[in-house]
Amino acid sequence: MSKSSKNWSLATGDSITLQDIDPGYTGKYKSKEDTEPEKAELTDTFEKLQPKLFASGKKSVLFVFQGMDCSGKDGVINKVFSISNPAGIHIHSFKAPTSEELSHDYLWRAHQNVAGYGYISAFNRSYYEDVLITRVHGQIDDDTAKQRFKQINHFEKMLEENNVRVVKIFLHISKEFQLKKLIDRVEKPHKNWKFDEGDLQERKYWDDYQRCYEDVFKHCASEQHPWHIIPADNRWYRDLAVLQIVVRTLEEMDLAYPDPIPELQDHLPDMYAELEKLKKK
């Protein structure tokens, strides 16, 4: 049973059926224009909170983005986090593992891309691929997947206990929406570069992916570490919902600038004296 949290569905460890969640849902909003006042307010709040996270250097946040092909992971990451100071953002896209990555455990490449304290990390796909695509294509069996669920939960708990907040977001689109996006990438020459024939092959496993995601929501979600399921057929609603989650997360972290350093005042007389000399030149 999914629970409502503001304008998105929240998976907290109960069984969830994605078919029961409308990917075209937009709540009280009827258009992009309806969201603009709230987005402006949230943007202003984000711009004030993110420097506090960076300056304090004591905590960090990891936003994990998952979703089917064409769900807009790249797009929402770019739109939401482009409003912050880029020096404080670390974005990593997970592709097929390299030979070096395959020579380590599957969590190795994820852990080394979790940014340090003060930073926001955004994962476009993540370690969850190792219980999704690997399972769908029979590279791991169900028993191995269940073992990995436990390992992933322990990994996320370890990060949380070491002041890394983990926030998991699934962008939920319809099969029809995905097909329209793929058609658009073929029909419009300037979007041809986005088209990957492999997406058409993966599309054939749509139902298998849905079941595997539902298993992830059941086994790798709790009240403390939920999965946020965002209806994403409407990009403008998706962007607002993710921004709501980002701002709410930072607000809950009780961020503050470091304490003032009184000794720094001792530098002011010499600095002002130099300034006066420069003015006279």
Side-chain angles (χ1 to χ4, degrees):
M1 187 75 67
S2 64
K3 298 182 180 180
S4 175
S5 178
K6 294 196 176 180
N7 305 307
W8 54 83
S9 297
L10 200 64
T12 58
D14 297 326
S15 294
I16 271 190
T17 302
L18 284 171
Q19 268 192 323
D20 294 340
I21 301 173
D22 179 10
Y25 175 82
T26 60
K28 65 180 181 180
Y29 311 97
K30 304 301 181 186
S31 66
K32 180 180 180 181
E33 289 68 32
D34 287 347
T35 68
E36 293 303 328
E38 184 175 351
K39 283 176 68 176
E41 184 177 342
L42 288 167
T43 297
D44 182 65
T45 302
F46 185 23
E47 290 176 334
K48 292 176 181 176
L49 288 171
Q50 190 257 336
K52 292 181 180 180
L53 174 70
F54 187 78
S56 65
K58 294 180 179 179
K59 303 175 182 178
S60 65
V61 192
L62 168 60
F63 290 98
V64 173
F65 288 89
Q66 289 286 157
M68 299 294 289
D69 295 324
C70 302
S71 60
K73 298 178 290 294
D74 267 327
V76 75
I77 289 171
N78 289 334
K79 287 189 177 181
V80 170
F81 295 111
S82 65
I83 63 178
S84 63
N85 182 348
I89 305 294
H90 175 78
I91 298 171
H92 185 78
S93 295
F94 285 85
K95 309 295 185 181
T98 64
S99 57
E100 181 182 10
E101 290 168 344
L102 287 171
S103 70
H104 294 79
D105 66 272
Y106 70 96
L107 286 171
W108 178 80
R109 66 173 182 161
H111 200 176
Q112 67 174 342
N113 280 291
V114 176
Y117 296 136
Y119 290 84
I120 291 174
S121 299
F123 282 1
N124 179 343
R125 302 189 186 274
S126 69
Y127 44 91
Y128 278 100
E129 292 298 304
D130 292 286
V131 290
L132 289 165
I133 189 170
T134 54
R135 196 178 184 192
V136 168
H137 291 287
Q139 296 166 6
I140 64 171
D141 57 23
D142 290 349
D143 288 339
T144 301
K146 290 176 182 178
Q147 183 182 43
R148 288 187 177 185
F149 290 154
K150 294 178 182 179
Q151 292 166 349
I152 287 171
N153 289 337
H154 290 154
F155 175 63
E156 291 176 347
K157 183 179 181 183
M158 181 276 294
L159 290 177
E160 291 274 359
E161 289 176 348
N162 286 277
N163 294 324
V164 180
R165 181 78 178 270
V166 181
V167 182
K168 299 176 286 191
I169 298 172
F170 174 72
L171 303 180
H172 180 40
I173 59 172
S174 64
K175 196 173 183 180
E176 179 183 358
F177 178 86
Q178 185 194 63
L179 183 58
K180 288 179 179 178
K181 282 293 177 182
L182 292 173
I183 291 172
D184 188 61
R185 291 176 180 181
V186 172
E187 287 186 337
K188 296 179 179 176
H190 70 284
K191 291 187 177 183
N192 285 174
W193 65 273
K194 290 185 175 184
F195 184 77
D196 184 343
E197 290 190 12
D199 293 344
L200 291 178
Q201 295 303 314
E202 290 302 300
R203 180 175 166 78
K204 296 176 181 178
Y205 298 95
W206 179 277
D207 292 340
D208 294 326
Y209 274 108
Q210 301 296 290
R211 284 192 292 270
C212 285
Y213 267 114
E214 290 166 359
D215 223 14
V216 164
F217 301 147
K218 181 177 180 179
H219 293 284
C220 297
S222 65
E223 292 285 349
Q224 293 74 32
H225 304 102
W227 268 97
H228 304 277
I229 303 175
I230 307 296
D233 273 8
N234 292 285
R235 300 306 207 199
W236 52 268
Y237 176 78
R238 173 207 67 186
D239 295 345
L240 173 66
V242 170
L243 184 56
Q244 287 173 336
I245 293 169
V246 170
V247 170
R248 188 187 70 171
T249 298
L250 294 176
E251 287 177 333
E252 290 174 349
M253 293 176 69
D254 194 25
L255 300 170
Y257 285 110
D259 292 335
I261 305 173
E263 294 80 8
L264 293 180
Q265 302 297 314
D266 296 340
H267 295 291
L268 285 175
D270 289 342
M271 294 166 72
Y272 274 116
E274 182 183 355
L275 183 61
E276 287 300 316
K277 289 180 180 180
L278 291 172
K279 286 181 179 178
K280 293 177 181 178
K281 287 185 178 181

